[in-house]
Amino acid sequence: MSDRLDGEKSEKVAWRPPRWLRGPRPEAVPGFVGTAGVVVGLLNLAAGMFPRFRHSRVHALAEVLPGAVTPLAAAASLVVGILLLLLAHGLKRRKRRAWGAAVALLPVGIAAQLVYRHSVFGAVLSLALLAFLVWHRKEFAALPDPRSRWKAVANFIVLGGAAFGIGMIIVSSHPDRIVGSPSVWDRVQHVLWGLFGFEGPIRYTQHVDYTVGYSLGALGLLTVATTAYLAFRPEHPAARLTDEDEQQLRELLARHGARDSLGYFALRRDKGAVFSPTGKAAVCYRVISGVMLASGDPIGDVEAWPGAIERFMAEAKAHSWTPAVTGCSETGGQVWTRETGMDALELGDEAIVEVADFTLAGRAMRNVRQMVKRIERNGYETRVRRVRDLDPAELAQIQKAADAWRDTDTERGFSMALGRIDAVADGDGVIATAHLPAGEGEEPGPYGDLKAMQYFVPWGDSGISLERMRRDRSADPGMNELLIVATLQAAPDLKIKQMSLNFAVFRSSLERGEKLGAGPVIRVWRGLLVFLSRWYQIESLYKFNDKFRPRWEPRFVVFRNSRDIPRIGLAAMQAEGYLELPRVLRRRKPVEPRPCVHTVEPAKAAGTVERAA
């Protein structure tokens, strides 16, 4: 009996070879080639450094790899090995330039096989590898990353140090061919002279001096050549917010800015922007350590979000950047995961206070009420005004004080920081200040009677979002609570209906972990978060925000796969200013200033509660 339904037409299924005959999947080709580059590079390095390796059983494997064992071939093995190691990461990221360099190296390896070792099999295998790369050339189309001249300095230091270390191994790897017993200083001198192409004080027998000399000279030439290439190659500009982009974003915020409290932070000038085909939505991002990091939800009409997200993902693919989103809302996370197939993980909660519901009355607000009353009795006064209403001289003084009161040398902020106070461009922002008039016989401080300040950026037409909090260390504890209460009390006159406070990371975990009956896993996780709070203000932000009885809105991080989470986490910490790279590896080109009334330095991120003096 046929297992087909009556009338069903049979279909001819074309024969397909088994998986092991079809070769690697296209998406796995870059990773396969990158891993192969690491293995081949290490084997070439070993063949160039250790003579016993070249004549051991492993030498049979090295025979089929680019390079040779004669003096010139030993030097070629070192150069090819180091270059393949340097290119491996670029090949895994599908970089076009890395592919081109690898394709250029393979003919050199083929020539070495035929000329120096007369290995037809090795030449054929090298040719096969070259053909494999050429066949899959479309997989390596990623554009270069933004460049920095400081990478040339880093390359000289790192590769120069590696060349010196490898040189010491090469000089010492022929103990039975060394004339006499040279000291360590003699070996160091021999390496240093050899890297510059000169003979050193050590002498060898049986022509080993040629092998050592060629190898050291090749290492020195490689260091100089790669450093020169990095120093003089054309520099690709980093993503920056242009005047046209900023104007378009402001138009979108004017129509849709009330939807997301983080929307206004898209106007940071160290971000780039990609727009939907219709121009009705945009995603703002920053590239850090190969991660294309967006913050908050897309700007603009929700219906146009998919178009902007598609452009964002296309840009990430073109450069082989790792796409990620930090701090998006639940709606934003749903759209991102639906349109891209990525995953989302709850990162924390944003504290939002409704002005109409806020009151200092009641038992829950007793601590805040007592603190505010005590500070007011000490003579402190508060003022809450729009930025555009401040006198230019007073605004300049507030900016200087805020910079001087910053509690870290590193500027912090990305997802909830604007990085400036511009009376022209950001005049709708709100500044709250605390003042303590000098007593009789007392001299005013360097900033007059100013003791603390807070800055809020606009959130649509009827909301504000906290950007920074700063205070004089000599001021009484509780300045932050005083100014938040003063701003909430002045909000009705400013036609403000809601206020977004700090972002509390892992708030739900902290809350569940301290409840009765919490399980051992959540208790351990809470204990770890409390421990980390000694360095990163995790618990303190949650406790501070919770004083004002806010509404908690969850925020999410969106990522492609779980193995990208550590990399995304490091990039986010760099963006927020909690992780600082060595100065030699950082970009030092400042963001070009926009014409405005006052020029200020980038400010610290919102969300940092300064400890009481």
Side-chain angles (χ1 to χ4, degrees):
M1 181 177 178
S2 175
D3 58 355
R4 293 187 293 108
L5 296 176
D6 292 340
E8 181 182 349
K9 295 183 180 179
S10 62
E11 297 182 357
K12 294 183 179 180
V13 180
W15 179 83
R16 297 182 65 191
R19 173 76 261 173
W20 62 275
L21 285 178
R22 295 199 300 267
R25 295 181 176 89
E27 63 272 13
V29 169
F32 169 78
V33 174
T35 303
V38 172
V39 174
V40 173
L42 292 175
L43 290 174
N44 275 273
L45 280 176
M49 289 190 296
F50 304 108
R52 293 182 179 179
F53 173 84
R54 297 196 297 269
H55 297 285
S56 64
R57 293 182 180 179
V58 187
H59 176 59
L61 177 60
E63 279 287 332
V64 300
L65 299 174
V69 294
T70 62
L72 286 176
S77 294
L78 293 172
V79 173
V80 171
I82 293 176
L83 288 176
L84 286 175
L85 289 177
L86 295 176
L87 293 172
H89 182 65
L91 291 173
K92 287 185 177 181
R93 295 185 60 201
R94 302 185 297 108
K95 293 297 183 180
R96 186 71 179 179
R97 288 185 177 179
W99 174 88
V103 169
L105 280 176
L106 280 175
V108 177
I110 294 173
Q113 299 285 346
L114 294 176
V115 176
Y116 294 112
R117 296 162 71 183
H118 309 290
S119 174
V120 177
F121 177 74
V124 171
L125 183 57
S126 297
L127 184 62
L129 291 174
L130 177 62
F132 182 83
L133 284 174
V134 173
W135 179 263
H136 292 282
R137 61 187 179 276
K138 293 183 180 180
E139 298 297 324
F140 300 88
L143 301 175
D145 291 338
R147 300 301 185 185
S148 172
R149 304 298 185 193
W150 290 102
K151 288 191 176 181
V153 179
N155 178 84
F156 180 78
I157 296 174
V158 175
L159 191 54
F164 177 80
I166 294 173
M168 290 294 293
I169 296 175
I170 293 173
V171 169
S172 305
S173 62
H174 305 81
D176 54 340
R177 301 288 188 270
I178 298 178
V179 177
S181 300
S183 63
V184 175
W185 174 241
D186 291 333
R187 298 172 192 266
V188 171
Q189 290 185 79
H190 196 87
V191 172
L192 293 177
W193 283 111
L195 291 176
F196 288 96
F198 300 100
E199 293 185 4
I202 301 178
R203 295 292 178 265
Y204 297 89
T205 61
Q206 299 183 10
H207 304 291
V208 174
D209 53 341
Y210 289 105
T211 302
V212 174
Y214 285 142
S215 299
L216 294 177
L219 289 173
L221 180 62
L222 177 63
T223 302
V224 173
T226 54
T227 301
Y229 167 73
L230 292 173
F232 296 107
R233 63 180 171 173
E235 188 171 10
H236 299 271
R240 298 263 170 80
L241 200 65
T242 65
D243 293 330
E244 294 77 13
D245 291 342
E246 182 174 349
Q247 180 61 34
Q248 192 170 353
L249 287 174
R250 288 185 181 277
E251 293 175 358
L252 293 177
L253 288 172
R255 295 193 295 268
H256 308 282
R259 209 208 59 80
D260 185 15
S261 62
L262 305 187
Y264 202 85
F265 298 112
L267 298 177
R268 281 181 63 100
R269 286 161 185 163
D270 60 354
K271 289 184 178 181
V274 288
F275 293 85
S276 64
T278 61
K280 295 182 179 180
V283 175
C284 295
Y285 67 92
R286 184 177 171 190
V287 179
I288 303 174
S289 300
V291 176
M292 191 175 183
L293 189 64
S295 61
D297 291 344
I299 308 300
D301 188 355
V302 177
E303 297 297 328
W305 284 7
I309 292 174
E310 183 179 0
R311 290 279 182 87
F312 175 88
M313 297 300 293
E315 186 77 6
K317 182 178 180 181
H319 292 270
S320 193
W321 291 328
T322 300
V325 186
T326 178
C328 66
S329 68
E330 186 171 1
T331 301
Q334 291 174 349
V335 177
W336 273 103
T337 55
R338 184 188 69 218
E339 297 296 327
T340 64
M342 296 196 293
D343 293 326
L345 181 68
E346 186 173 345
L347 184 61
D349 296 271
E350 178 188 8
I352 298 177
V353 180
E354 297 292 340
V355 174
D357 299 334
F358 178 77
T359 177
L360 285 176
R363 183 179 180 85
M365 298 297 295
R366 181 179 60 181
N367 291 336
V368 176
R369 182 173 63 252
Q370 291 176 349
M371 181 176 292
V372 170
K373 294 298 183 183
R374 176 179 55 81
I375 296 175
E376 289 177 343
R377 286 195 300 268
N378 291 341
Y380 284 87
E381 301 174 355
T382 58
R383 303 169 191 169
V384 181
R385 293 157 290 176
R386 296 281 184 182
V387 174
R388 62 171 174 266
D389 297 331
L390 269 73
D391 180 80
E394 183 182 3
L395 180 58
Q397 185 183 49
I398 292 174
Q399 294 175 19
K400 291 179 181 179
D403 292 339
W405 295 337
R406 190 174 63 239
D407 60 349
T408 60
D409 293 333
T410 304
E411 294 287 358
R412 292 179 178 174
F414 172 67
S415 58
M416 293 187 70
L418 187 61
R420 66 179 185 271
I421 304 178
D422 190 335
V424 176
D426 311 308
D428 288 337
V430 173
I431 285 186
T433 54
H435 304 264
L436 180 62
E440 184 176 353
E442 295 181 358
E443 294 185 0
Y447 307 106
D449 60 357
L450 181 64
K451 295 299 180 182
M453 64 83 64
Q454 290 181 1
Y455 176 46
F456 301 83
V457 300
W459 172 14
D461 296 330
S462 59
I464 52 176
S465 185
L466 181 60
E467 201 267 357
R468 77 183 77 174
M469 299 187 295
R470 304 283 172 82
R471 71 176 183 86
D472 190 341
R473 292 298 179 181
S474 64
D476 291 353
M479 289 292 104
N480 292 324
E481 289 87 344
L482 173 68
L483 289 180
I484 288 178
V485 170
T487 304
L488 287 169
Q489 292 175 342
D493 295 334
L494 298 175
K495 298 181 180 180
I496 295 172
K497 298 179 180 179
Q498 53 188 351
M499 174 194 292
S500 170
L501 294 177
N502 302 300
F503 176 75
V505 181
F506 302 122
R507 182 207 65 88
S508 58
S509 299
L510 291 170
E511 183 183 44
R512 291 197 302 267
E514 63 184 0
K515 287 184 177 180
L516 181 66
V521 175
I522 190 64
R523 286 184 180 273
V524 170
W525 175 232
R526 181 184 180 276
L528 177 61
L529 293 176
V530 173
F531 174 75
L532 294 176
S533 296
R534 299 179 180 181
W535 299 276
Y536 308 104
Q537 298 176 0
I538 300 175
E539 185 184 30
S540 58
L541 281 178
Y542 162 53
K543 296 294 185 181
F544 177 81
N545 293 335
D546 200 48
K547 294 179 181 180
F548 303 97
R549 322 310 298 173
R551 180 181 84 248
W552 295 104
E553 292 291 338
R555 292 282 176 172
F556 299 83
V557 57
V558 180
F559 54 94
R560 188 166 51 187
N561 50 62
S562 57
R563 67 174 177 268
D564 290 335
I565 292 180
R567 187 178 182 185
I568 295 171
L570 290 175
M573 292 181 69
Q574 287 178 244
E576 298 290 351
Y578 289 103
L579 181 63
E580 186 176 4
L581 292 179
R583 291 185 180 274
V584 74
L585 297 179
R586 296 204 311 262
R587 301 183 64 87
R588 292 195 177 187
K589 180 180 289 186
V591 178
E592 296 179 0
R594 300 280 197 273
C596 60
V597 175
H598 305 284
T599 302
V600 296
E601 297 294 328
K604 185 183 70 174
T608 301
V609 178
E610 302 181 13
R611 301 181 185 277

